[in-house]
């Protein structure tokens, strides 16, 4: 008798996402499949918060110092807040406010995997007027990050 195992990991429950997450990595996946530095540079920093009542907030920034004479938040910070829900193996963020006006009112859908304290979100993201790019963000549950 042969037994088969389900090759697909189980879906994540909302309770598993609720809490605080710290950004560990943010990379772009090139068309060739190669990974390159994401839009927040070599040392991205970030905090992602999922509340039990369906609210989400994410703040991310470059962790490296700005080039001399190029101060300012435009290319150094990105953040948004809104609502979230699970849809199978995806999380959907409905953006209500954002540091980038073109994101307001959009639905940001990300593939998700959760392995212990590590959450990986991936999907297509585009800059204002630019083509979409595949991005992968890896988050670690923040110390004390569970409600």
């Amino acid at each position: 008798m042969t037994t088969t195992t389900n090759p697909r990991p189980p879906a994540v429950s909302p309770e598993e996402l609720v809490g605080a997450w710290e950004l560990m990595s943010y990379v772009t996946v090139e068309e060739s499949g190669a990974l390159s530095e994401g839009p927040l540079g070599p040392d991205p920093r970030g905090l992602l918060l999922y509340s039990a009542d369906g609210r989400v907030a994410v703040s991310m920034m470059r962790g490296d110092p700005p080039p001399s004479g190029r101060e300012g938040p435009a290319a150094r910070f990105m953040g948004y807040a809104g609502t979230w829900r699970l849809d199978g193996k995806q999380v959907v963020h409905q953006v209500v406010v954002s540091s980038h006006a073109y994101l307001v009112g959009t639905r940001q859908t990300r593939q998700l995997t959760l392995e212990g304290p590590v959450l990986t979100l991936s999907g297509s993201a585009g800059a204002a007027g630019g083509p979409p790019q595949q991005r992968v963000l890896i988050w670690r549950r923040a110390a004390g990050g569970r409600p």
Side-chain angles (χ1 to χ4, degrees):
M1 179 169 147
T2 305
T3 59
T4 58
T5 58
N6 184 354
R8 294 182 291 171
V12 175
S13 72
E15 295 79 17
E16 292 175 289
L17 284 186
V18 168
W21 302 85
E22 295 175 338
L23 186 62
M24 295 172 43
S25 172
Y26 186 2
V27 297
T28 298
V29 181
E30 304 295 339
E31 287 185 18
S32 67
L35 300 180
S36 65
E37 190 175 279
L40 296 177
D43 185 27
R45 310 274 171 90
L47 187 61
L48 170 63
L49 304 171
Y50 286 114
S51 72
D53 67 349
R55 301 291 178 182
V56 62
V58 60
S59 296
M60 298 181 294
M61 62 178 272
R62 291 184 71 104
D64 56 329
S68 180
R70 296 191 65 199
E71 294 288 331
R76 300 196 56 80
F77 177 83
M78 103 55 73
Y80 65 79
T83 60
W84 71 279
R85 65 180 172 80
L86 289 175
D87 183 9
K89 294 180 184 177
Q90 299 178 326
V91 63
V92 180
H93 297 170
Q94 182 67 43
V95 180
V96 176
V97 296
S98 175
S99 61
H100 299 301
Y102 67 90
L103 286 175
V104 174
T106 65
R107 188 174 293 125
Q108 301 295 310
T109 302
R110 303 289 181 254
Q111 299 296 319
L112 78 115
T113 58
L114 181 61
E115 295 180 14
V118 177
L119 171 67
T120 301
L121 300 178
S122 60
S124 181
Q133 295 181 310
Q134 278 299 112
R135 303 274 170 74
V136 178
L137 293 88
I138 300 175
W139 303 85
R140 178 174 297 280
R141 175 136 346 244
R146 281 195 191 258

